[in-house]
Amino acid sequence: MDTPSPEQPPAAVADAATLCRELRALLPPGAVLSSPSELAPYECDGLSAYRQRPLAVVIPRCVEEVQAVLRLCSARGVPVVARGAGTGLSGGALPHAAGVLLVMARFDRILSVDPAACTARVQPGVRNLAISEAAAPHGLYYAPDPSSQIACSIGGNVAENAGGVHCLKYGLTVHNVLAAEILLMNGERLTLGGEGPDSPGYDLLALLCGSEGLLGVIVEVTVRLLARPPCARLLLATFDSPVRAGAAVASIIAAGIVPAGLEMMDGLAIRAAEAFAHAGYPTDAAALLLCELDGTEEECTGQLMRVESLLRAGGATELRVAADEAERLRLWSGRKSAFPAVGRLAPDYYCMDGSIPRSRLGDVLERIAVLSSEYGLPVANVFHAGDGNLHPLILYDAGKPGELQRTEELGEKILAFCVEVGGTITGEHGVGVEKLGAMCLQFGAAELERFHAVKEAFDPAGLLNPGKAVPTLARCAEGRRMHVHGGELPFPGIERF
Amino acid sequence: MHTTLADFIATTAAGEEASEILRKCVHCGFCNATCPTYRLLGDELDGPRGRIYQIKEMLEGAEPAASVLQHLDRCLGCRACETTCPSGVEYGKLLDTGRELAEQRVQRGRWSQLQRRVLRWMFPFPLRIAPWLRLAMRVRPLLPRVLAAHVPPVLTPPGAWPEARHARRMVALAGCVQSVATPATSAAAARVLDRSGISLVTAPAAGCCGALSHHLAAREEGLDFARRNIDAWIPLLEAGAEAVVASASGCGLHLRDYGRLLASDAAYAEKAARVSAAVRDLTEVVPLPAAGASPQRLRVAVHTPCTLQHGQHLGGRVEALLRATGCELLPVADAGTCCGSAGSYSLLQSELSSQLGDARARALQAGAPDVVVTANVGCQLQLAGRCTAPVRHWIEVLDEATRVL
Amino acid sequence: MGDADLGEQIRERIVEAHHWGRGLRIVAGGTRERPGRRVAGEELSLGAHRGILEWEPSELVLRARAGTPVLEIEAALATERQMLGFEPPRAAETATIGGAVATAQSGPRRPFAGAARDFVLGVGCIDGTGQRLGFGGRVIKNVAGYDISRLMCGAHGTLGVLLDVAIRLLPVPECEQSLVRECEPLQAMQIMNSLRSRPLPLSGAAWEAGLLRLRLEGAESAVSRAARELGGDAEADARWWQELRDQRLPFFRDARSLWRVALPPTAAPLALDAAELIDWCGAQRWLSGDVDATLVRARAAQLGGHATLCRGATDDPFHPLAPGMLALQQRLKRVFDPRRVLNPGRLYREL
């Protein structure tokens, strides 16, 4: 199934052979791939429902090589899509049919760790977890920890403004990055941010975080490291309904407690995660909360007692505190592998990423349950309950005709409800190609126009990752999805597959 | 991942198995993080997710380019990816199918063919290896580094093999390379087991486990080795031997697969299953020694072979056994990573193998150990040439530590 | 003064200004004109556009009109033991939340809890064409579209007039303890450098006039234990921290010329001929005294930071931008304010 990539503006279709010859002249042997068998594995990132083979894949090793590629592509009018570890879940690194896929995986060196300033300077292809591993001897770590942290790269984290299970207390990528070196599409090198607390002029670093590779190619990142808290206690609580668990979450926050992580899984997800990780989850529970408290020994103990009594008052059916570090890590391992573990339940899953005000958690979960049974598609819920970021996973079988379309329709209804209750269509995975349609639910024409103009300020020719993250106005108008009220949407369904 | 198999394979057993495995893969990419070749090369094509994709393409009917064979050749088969995969994708099995398909569809270069034929001719047979090894040891200083790294500087004398005096017996896989290059291993195993009331015996007719041929896509040749071993061991098992013990984890892993590999061979299916069920790694049969036996509290760095930790899921056993003898276990970075030996890989992909071997040797020696131990002959040879500390099979260290008792 | 929505009047003023290409000088509480270049243009006042729009204590999120005084918001939050985590300075009672966000000013808690932009979740604004726009939202995690709300933070209104801002709140810590000890600046820097990598409940670390002060906040048990570990004398009166936050310490009051130098926190003392106050655990240094601008800027740049003249005669208070960076920022300005209506020239002559 070759999926026509959505909304890619017509680029001057370069003669592939000529382009590859020119690229080969710029790069060392083995750094340019162009045969069909070599391109196929690059046709998708972590979201394999969208696939598109690029004209060529390049895997440079140094900034000068990236600059050379960008300058050539600028001159030839060839689109460029940057890619890190290819673990993104919104198709942000989906190649462009007439473009070059710029793979940054070989930029995998940690350049320096400064234990006094608590910073690390790294190349963009360094894996998220590798930063914490390098910082560990100094008692430091890098706080944002997306579930894919073992594999995802920091460049991708910045481009997507990745979150994770601990961002309730420690923030998203944008809060933990101090500086980024980027290349504009014309090859110009700029430093955004710096090692100081701020920089003169506009905060372009904040703008870069979450810009999904549309503004510049990240070639170096300086991150902030934190002191590892001396104590972390993990509490597991089960509930007989997800709604009740949602209410318990709100009660913890209302009490002025900011847990390091507050995660929730429903019955389906619990069973899938347990089957993989053998984390010791009670598989008969309807909902499970993982609440991590960290800080000094005293802080943890005090908060633990308060949280326990709140959860008990909230109707927890079982409460368990991880006895030791091994059990704590085991309980987390189930949560961290929950997405792929759900892959065991059905041939395919569709992962949503809506974010809502915490107080509406119960309503939204109920609505998802109703929609799920309406569509006859099971939905497993795995999410960051503490910050209201939902990850409903719709289970389906792409092999069954029409099921993907129905899945998408269900997904869009869920997102529409998230927007309706004051939330957003994507909390951390990004828009990519996958949520282009849903963007029309959230933004009006004026905002979308400004987004396009911001891109133009960075990339006048529109060659960097074109067609992603921001839908064209025409698309939104065509779908008549702009300014939706009441959550009921017309679903003419623009052809996306 | 959604897969539509091509007609040529859709209805075969291999096809069904592959399809089942592919369904589980959600393309998350976690596997790349722990793949030694992906981490070296940074190319999706040289990581598990990309290899799965290339295999999937073949299964769906695409004509593979020569590059596919190259990228599959570069896979160590270490299966670290299986340990990492949260979806339970059995990459190793899919790789076997993929390699066989690629071998059929892509014409291998002459030189590559010749190399492989030589390896298959020599390594499974101790009598053919021995003279070459003796020669190589003599001219070791003159050999290029890539070759020299595989040649042990000296052979540790095996020492005495105890009489078969116990009623409890187990069959040792004498192996091929191990019996020549590290003869001390099996003898030490026999002595340790003897002290715990088990006699280790060998079957003279048995030989190479067949893994080498299997991984070089010479499936039938590999199966013949398996049949020969099965014929040699069944009588011993029937006479009451409790287990077939492998002291090389790579061979042990392959023995455990006999049942699956010969499932469609009517004459051997049942016997093969029986042998596979009786296979134990040495770590499983050596009892935990009484604490504090080690006379000089050795500082030990353990390299757990991939075939032990990712293949047989027996990581941590060696550490537990040595700790019980009073050894100090040093922490080793990236302990899940392959040393690059991977059977014939060290000879066929010498450049990658060297890089991995050097990296592993650095990590193992970071804590300045008295001795580096491992559980597989290939790893032992790969690391011996790169470490300044002696590299031994763990059973030798345990043998010496418990001998005083 | 009561709550009022002046959004439409403000929009009409901007539409008109855009039509005629006339500059507008944006003012709310009137406390944050410095640092900034002098803006030629009619005054556009947001002071009366005020009121808290949404605040659900269990959400720890507040949305308020830009002209709402910081003090009014803080008084309301205090009833539920919540607070603005970035401690925006309040030079006067009139200081507004919109001004705090537009100028990205943060107090002593900044290195430990985050800057103004770290707490901004969303903004409603009007750009230079008179178009009403909404970016971000009121949820903690939101990556839909570019993060324009954080771009607005620190843009001094030059990209859009803020109408309302949504801000993440923090619970007020259980208890607070200030420690003080005598030491020289170099020693103070050494202590600060050693603190950064330790898991302590710190919420302030500053040095002035021979005294290093540390502020601890959190659970009582944790604070008292940390206080024991750190040593120094307990300071009963926490007013010093409030005066530091509001820049009302004598150091600031008496300064005829005041520089703010933002540096990598481990950078050496500036060692310029001026009184120095070190805040933000080393990352923000204030200089009071007549120092040569070129010298300060050169020293700041050499140490990897930048310098802003907050008080004193100058045409260009902000650190100059490299040509490529300035060109990019000019292009961004054109996106939101093509006719240079909003605070023209306030940040840089070219913006």
Side-chain angles (χ1 to χ4, degrees), chain B residues 97-123:
Chain B
T97 308
R99 280 187 165 157
E100 222 170 306
L101 264 180
E103 206 73 48
Q104 291 162 13
R105 306 275 198 83
V106 181
Q107 182 64 39
R108 204 175 260 294
R110 289 253 175 82
W111 172 239
S112 174
Q113 282 185 37
L114 181 68
Q115 270 182 312
R116 284 159 178 259
R117 225 168 278 148
V118 169
L119 289 174
R120 277 164 42 207
W121 174 82
M122 183 159 93
F123 282 99

mmCIF file of all heavy atoms in Angstrom, chain B residues 97-123:
data_model
loop_
_atom_site.group_PDB
_atom_site.id
_atom_site.type_symbol
_atom_site.label_atom_id
_atom_site.label_comp_id
_atom_site.label_asym_id
_atom_site.label_seq_id
_atom_site.Cartn_x
_atom_site.Cartn_y
_atom_site.Cartn_z
ATOM 1 N N THR B 97 14.333 -17.315 7.937
ATOM 2 C CA THR B 97 13.526 -17.362 6.709
ATOM 3 C C THR B 97 14.049 -16.351 5.697
ATOM 4 O O THR B 97 14.199 -16.662 4.511
ATOM 5 C CB THR B 97 12.050 -17.027 7.039
ATOM 6 O OG1 THR B 97 11.634 -17.874 8.094
ATOM 7 C CG2 THR B 97 11.168 -17.209 5.830
ATOM 8 N N GLY B 98 14.335 -15.166 6.174
ATOM 9 C CA GLY B 98 14.810 -14.103 5.293
ATOM 10 C C GLY B 98 16.133 -14.451 4.637
ATOM 11 O O GLY B 98 16.328 -14.225 3.437
ATOM 12 N N ARG B 99 17.030 -15.018 5.427
ATOM 13 C CA ARG B 99 18.338 -15.358 4.872
ATOM 14 C C ARG B 99 18.220 -16.424 3.811
ATOM 15 O O ARG B 99 18.890 -16.361 2.771
ATOM 16 C CB ARG B 99 19.256 -15.843 5.997
ATOM 17 C CG ARG B 99 19.840 -14.702 6.776
ATOM 18 C CD ARG B 99 20.872 -15.164 7.762
ATOM 19 N NE ARG B 99 21.643 -14.020 8.222
ATOM 20 C CZ ARG B 99 22.308 -13.979 9.373
ATOM 21 N NH1 ARG B 99 22.307 -15.033 10.165
ATOM 22 N NH2 ARG B 99 22.975 -12.913 9.705
ATOM 23 N N GLU B 100 17.350 -17.375 4.071
ATOM 24 C CA GLU B 100 17.203 -18.444 3.091
ATOM 25 C C GLU B 100 16.639 -17.905 1.773
ATOM 26 O O GLU B 100 17.115 -18.228 0.692
ATOM 27 C CB GLU B 100 16.267 -19.501 3.665
ATOM 28 C CG GLU B 100 16.751 -20.902 3.397
ATOM 29 C CD GLU B 100 15.939 -21.902 4.180
ATOM 30 O OE1 GLU B 100 15.843 -21.749 5.416
ATOM 31 O OE2 GLU B 100 15.370 -22.789 3.556
ATOM 32 N N LEU B 101 15.633 -17.024 1.923
ATOM 33 C CA LEU B 101 15.023 -16.421 0.736
ATOM 34 C C LEU B 101 16.046 -15.592 -0.040
ATOM 35 O O LEU B 101 16.149 -15.695 -1.262
ATOM 36 C CB LEU B 101 13.889 -15.491 1.159
ATOM 37 C CG LEU B 101 12.481 -16.051 1.151
ATOM 38 C CD1 LEU B 101 11.523 -14.966 1.615
ATOM 39 C CD2 LEU B 101 12.118 -16.498 -0.255
ATOM 40 N N ALA B 102 16.795 -14.785 0.681
ATOM 41 C CA ALA B 102 17.766 -13.918 0.021
ATOM 42 C C ALA B 102 18.818 -14.750 -0.690
ATOM 43 O O ALA B 102 19.250 -14.435 -1.802
ATOM 44 C CB ALA B 102 18.416 -12.989 1.043
ATOM 45 N N GLU B 103 19.222 -15.823 -0.023
ATOM 46 C CA GLU B 103 20.234 -16.704 -0.594
ATOM 47 C C GLU B 103 19.739 -17.292 -1.921
ATOM 48 O O GLU B 103 20.490 -17.447 -2.874
ATOM 49 C CB GLU B 103 20.545 -17.810 0.404
ATOM 50 C CG GLU B 103 21.913 -18.419 0.298
ATOM 51 C CD GLU B 103 23.026 -17.504 0.802
ATOM 52 O OE1 GLU B 103 22.889 -16.945 1.906
ATOM 53 O OE2 GLU B 103 24.002 -17.346 0.071
ATOM 54 N N GLN B 104 18.429 -17.605 -1.963
ATOM 55 C CA GLN B 104 17.864 -18.162 -3.206
ATOM 56 C C GLN B 104 17.764 -17.112 -4.306
ATOM 57 O O GLN B 104 17.951 -17.401 -5.478
ATOM 58 C CB GLN B 104 16.454 -18.708 -2.941
ATOM 59 C CG GLN B 104 16.436 -19.949 -2.071
ATOM 60 C CD GLN B 104 15.049 -20.193 -1.473
ATOM 61 O OE1 GLN B 104 14.063 -19.589 -1.888
ATOM 62 N NE2 GLN B 104 14.975 -21.082 -0.488
ATOM 63 N N ARG B 105 17.455 -15.877 -3.910
ATOM 64 C CA ARG B 105 17.118 -14.867 -4.905
ATOM 65 C C ARG B 105 18.310 -14.038 -5.363
ATOM 66 O O ARG B 105 18.274 -13.452 -6.426
ATOM 67 C CB ARG B 105 16.067 -13.901 -4.344
ATOM 68 C CG ARG B 105 14.829 -14.559 -3.821
ATOM 69 C CD ARG B 105 13.870 -14.787 -4.968
ATOM 70 N NE ARG B 105 12.544 -15.010 -4.443
ATOM 71 C CZ ARG B 105 11.713 -14.030 -4.089
ATOM 72 N NH1 ARG B 105 12.066 -12.791 -4.233
ATOM 73 N NH2 ARG B 105 10.540 -14.325 -3.621
ATOM 74 N N VAL B 106 19.297 -13.931 -4.493
ATOM 75 C CA VAL B 106 20.416 -13.045 -4.836
ATOM 76 C C VAL B 106 21.657 -13.882 -5.103
ATOM 77 O O VAL B 106 21.988 -14.764 -4.309
ATOM 78 C CB VAL B 106 20.695 -12.039 -3.700
ATOM 79 C CG1 VAL B 106 21.845 -11.115 -4.081
ATOM 80 C CG2 VAL B 106 19.446 -11.239 -3.383
ATOM 81 N N GLN B 107 22.302 -13.602 -6.196
ATOM 82 C CA GLN B 107 23.527 -14.319 -6.527
ATOM 83 C C GLN B 107 24.667 -13.768 -5.678
ATOM 84 O O GLN B 107 25.002 -12.601 -5.750
ATOM 85 C CB GLN B 107 23.830 -14.137 -8.031
ATOM 86 C CG GLN B 107 25.062 -14.869 -8.514
ATOM 87 C CD GLN B 107 24.921 -16.393 -8.381
ATOM 88 O OE1 GLN B 107 23.858 -16.948 -8.630
ATOM 89 N NE2 GLN B 107 25.997 -17.057 -7.950
ATOM 90 N N ARG B 108 25.222 -14.620 -4.848
ATOM 91 C CA ARG B 108 26.317 -14.208 -3.994
ATOM 92 C C ARG B 108 27.600 -14.102 -4.813
ATOM 93 O O ARG B 108 27.800 -14.864 -5.756
ATOM 94 C CB ARG B 108 26.486 -15.279 -2.913
ATOM 95 C CG ARG B 108 27.143 -14.805 -1.674
ATOM 96 C CD ARG B 108 27.142 -15.898 -0.657
ATOM 97 N NE ARG B 108 26.077 -15.756 0.342
ATOM 98 C CZ ARG B 108 26.018 -14.772 1.225
ATOM 99 N NH1 ARG B 108 26.929 -13.830 1.234
ATOM 100 N NH2 ARG B 108 25.045 -14.723 2.097
ATOM 101 N N GLY B 109 28.460 -13.183 -4.452
ATOM 102 C CA GLY B 109 29.724 -13.032 -5.168
ATOM 103 C C GLY B 109 30.598 -14.272 -5.008
ATOM 104 O O GLY B 109 30.451 -15.018 -4.042
ATOM 105 N N ARG B 110 31.502 -14.495 -5.964
ATOM 106 C CA ARG B 110 32.356 -15.698 -5.936
ATOM 107 C C ARG B 110 33.148 -15.801 -4.656
ATOM 108 O O ARG B 110 33.246 -16.833 -4.021
ATOM 109 C CB ARG B 110 33.330 -15.662 -7.111
ATOM 110 C CG ARG B 110 32.689 -15.892 -8.434
ATOM 111 C CD ARG B 110 33.036 -17.290 -8.985
ATOM 112 N NE ARG B 110 32.286 -17.517 -10.212
ATOM 113 C CZ ARG B 110 32.671 -17.061 -11.408
ATOM 114 N NH1 ARG B 110 33.803 -16.390 -11.503
ATOM 115 N NH2 ARG B 110 31.949 -17.286 -12.475
ATOM 116 N N TRP B 111 33.783 -14.677 -4.285
ATOM 117 C CA TRP B 111 34.672 -14.645 -3.129
ATOM 118 C C TRP B 111 33.894 -14.990 -1.860
ATOM 119 O O TRP B 111 34.327 -15.800 -1.044
ATOM 120 C CB TRP B 111 35.331 -13.273 -3.030
ATOM 121 C CG TRP B 111 36.124 -13.038 -1.771
ATOM 122 C CD1 TRP B 111 35.913 -12.058 -0.876
ATOM 123 C CD2 TRP B 111 37.236 -13.808 -1.287
ATOM 124 N NE1 TRP B 111 36.819 -12.159 0.157
ATOM 125 C CE2 TRP B 111 37.635 -13.220 -0.080
ATOM 126 C CE3 TRP B 111 37.915 -14.949 -1.759
ATOM 127 C CZ2 TRP B 111 38.700 -13.715 0.675
ATOM 128 C CZ3 TRP B 111 38.977 -15.438 -0.996
ATOM 129 C CH2 TRP B 111 39.350 -14.826 0.196
ATOM 130 N N SER B 112 32.716 -14.395 -1.750
ATOM 131 C CA SER B 112 31.870 -14.635 -0.594
ATOM 132 C C SER B 112 31.485 -16.117 -0.532
ATOM 133 O O SER B 112 31.491 -16.730 0.533
ATOM 134 C CB SER B 112 30.636 -13.735 -0.691
ATOM 135 O OG SER B 112 29.741 -14.030 0.326
ATOM 136 N N GLN B 113 31.152 -16.668 -1.689
ATOM 137 C CA GLN B 113 30.789 -18.101 -1.739
ATOM 138 C C GLN B 113 31.945 -18.972 -1.269
ATOM 139 O O GLN B 113 31.770 -19.904 -0.490
ATOM 140 C CB GLN B 113 30.420 -18.496 -3.163
ATOM 141 C CG GLN B 113 29.037 -18.087 -3.589
ATOM 142 C CD GLN B 113 28.714 -18.624 -4.976
ATOM 143 O OE1 GLN B 113 29.112 -19.739 -5.309
ATOM 144 N NE2 GLN B 113 28.023 -17.834 -5.763
ATOM 145 N N LEU B 114 33.125 -18.628 -1.765
ATOM 146 C CA LEU B 114 34.304 -19.427 -1.449
ATOM 147 C C LEU B 114 34.608 -19.375 0.051
ATOM 148 O O LEU B 114 34.802 -20.403 0.702
ATOM 149 C CB LEU B 114 35.507 -18.901 -2.251
ATOM 150 C CG LEU B 114 36.811 -19.675 -2.031
ATOM 151 C CD1 LEU B 114 36.701 -21.087 -2.620
ATOM 152 C CD2 LEU B 114 38.000 -18.930 -2.640
ATOM 153 N N GLN B 115 34.572 -18.144 0.581
ATOM 154 C CA GLN B 115 34.814 -17.970 2.023
ATOM 155 C C GLN B 115 33.895 -18.883 2.816
ATOM 156 O O GLN B 115 34.323 -19.577 3.745
ATOM 157 C CB GLN B 115 34.462 -16.529 2.421
ATOM 158 C CG GLN B 115 35.585 -15.540 2.320
ATOM 159 C CD GLN B 115 35.085 -14.176 2.808
ATOM 160 O OE1 GLN B 115 34.014 -13.713 2.413
ATOM 161 N NE2 GLN B 115 35.869 -13.542 3.667
ATOM 162 N N ARG B 116 32.637 -18.830 2.471
ATOM 163 C CA ARG B 116 31.645 -19.591 3.223
ATOM 164 C C ARG B 116 31.866 -21.090 3.089
ATOM 165 O O ARG B 116 31.692 -21.848 4.041
ATOM 166 C CB ARG B 116 30.242 -19.214 2.725
ATOM 167 C CG ARG B 116 29.865 -17.873 3.259
ATOM 168 C CD ARG B 116 28.777 -17.184 2.485
ATOM 169 N NE ARG B 116 28.537 -15.941 3.190
ATOM 170 C CZ ARG B 116 27.521 -15.749 4.030
ATOM 171 N NH1 ARG B 116 26.608 -16.672 4.178
ATOM 172 N NH2 ARG B 116 27.412 -14.634 4.693
ATOM 173 N N ARG B 117 32.262 -21.495 1.879
ATOM 174 C CA ARG B 117 32.485 -22.924 1.686
ATOM 175 C C ARG B 117 33.671 -23.394 2.539
ATOM 176 O O ARG B 117 33.616 -24.444 3.165
ATOM 177 C CB ARG B 117 32.723 -23.224 0.198
ATOM 178 C CG ARG B 117 31.927 -24.436 -0.247
ATOM 179 C CD ARG B 117 31.914 -24.595 -1.740
ATOM 180 N NE ARG B 117 30.927 -23.754 -2.399
ATOM 181 C CZ ARG B 117 31.086 -23.232 -3.614
ATOM 182 N NH1 ARG B 117 32.214 -23.425 -4.294
ATOM 183 N NH2 ARG B 117 30.137 -22.520 -4.153
ATOM 184 N N VAL B 118 34.718 -22.573 2.565
ATOM 185 C CA VAL B 118 35.893 -22.943 3.355
ATOM 186 C C VAL B 118 35.527 -23.058 4.840
ATOM 187 O O VAL B 118 35.907 -24.003 5.518
ATOM 188 C CB VAL B 118 37.035 -21.911 3.162
ATOM 189 C CG1 VAL B 118 38.157 -22.136 4.168
ATOM 190 C CG2 VAL B 118 37.565 -21.992 1.733
ATOM 191 N N LEU B 119 34.770 -22.067 5.300
ATOM 192 C CA LEU B 119 34.376 -22.085 6.712
ATOM 193 C C LEU B 119 33.599 -23.349 7.037
ATOM 194 O O LEU B 119 33.824 -24.006 8.046
ATOM 195 C CB LEU B 119 33.505 -20.867 7.036
ATOM 196 C CG LEU B 119 34.224 -19.517 7.054
ATOM 197 C CD1 LEU B 119 33.209 -18.389 7.237
ATOM 198 C CD2 LEU B 119 35.251 -19.487 8.169
ATOM 199 N N ARG B 120 32.671 -23.696 6.135
ATOM 200 C CA ARG B 120 31.828 -24.863 6.383
ATOM 201 C C ARG B 120 32.633 -26.150 6.290
ATOM 202 O O ARG B 120 32.311 -27.153 6.908
ATOM 203 C CB ARG B 120 30.656 -24.867 5.401
ATOM 204 C CG ARG B 120 29.512 -23.983 5.864
ATOM 205 C CD ARG B 120 28.534 -23.672 4.758
ATOM 206 N NE ARG B 120 28.237 -24.831 3.937
ATOM 207 C CZ ARG B 120 27.868 -24.761 2.662
ATOM 208 N NH1 ARG B 120 27.752 -23.586 2.059
ATOM 209 N NH2 ARG B 120 27.606 -25.851 1.981
ATOM 210 N N TRP B 121 33.685 -26.123 5.483
ATOM 211 C CA TRP B 121 34.515 -27.316 5.317
ATOM 212 C C TRP B 121 35.381 -27.532 6.552
ATOM 213 O O TRP B 121 35.571 -28.641 7.010
ATOM 214 C CB TRP B 121 35.409 -27.160 4.078
ATOM 215 C CG TRP B 121 36.386 -28.299 3.939
ATOM 216 C CD1 TRP B 121 36.136 -29.535 3.394
ATOM 217 C CD2 TRP B 121 37.753 -28.322 4.375
ATOM 218 N NE1 TRP B 121 37.253 -30.321 3.464
ATOM 219 C CE2 TRP B 121 38.256 -29.599 4.060
ATOM 220 C CE3 TRP B 121 38.571 -27.379 4.992
ATOM 221 C CZ2 TRP B 121 39.577 -29.971 4.360
ATOM 222 C CZ3 TRP B 121 39.872 -27.731 5.282
ATOM 223 C CH2 TRP B 121 40.370 -29.032 4.965
ATOM 224 N N MET B 122 35.845 -26.436 7.131
ATOM 225 C CA MET B 122 36.849 -26.568 8.172
ATOM 226 C C MET B 122 36.284 -26.600 9.595
ATOM 227 O O MET B 122 36.542 -27.529 10.340
ATOM 228 C CB MET B 122 37.866 -25.436 8.051
ATOM 229 C CG MET B 122 38.982 -25.574 9.066
ATOM 230 S SD MET B 122 40.436 -24.677 8.618
ATOM 231 C CE MET B 122 40.152 -23.173 9.457
ATOM 232 N N PHE B 123 35.537 -25.563 9.954
ATOM 233 C CA PHE B 123 35.275 -25.364 11.376
ATOM 234 C C PHE B 123 34.472 -26.441 12.087
ATOM 235 O O PHE B 123 34.689 -26.693 13.272
ATOM 236 C CB PHE B 123 34.690 -23.970 11.618
ATOM 237 C CG PHE B 123 35.761 -22.928 11.578
ATOM 238 C CD1 PHE B 123 35.990 -22.164 10.449
ATOM 239 C CD2 PHE B 123 36.603 -22.767 12.675
ATOM 240 C CE1 PHE B 123 37.006 -21.234 10.406
ATOM 241 C CE2 PHE B 123 37.623 -21.839 12.646
ATOM 242 C CZ PHE B 123 37.828 -21.074 11.509
#
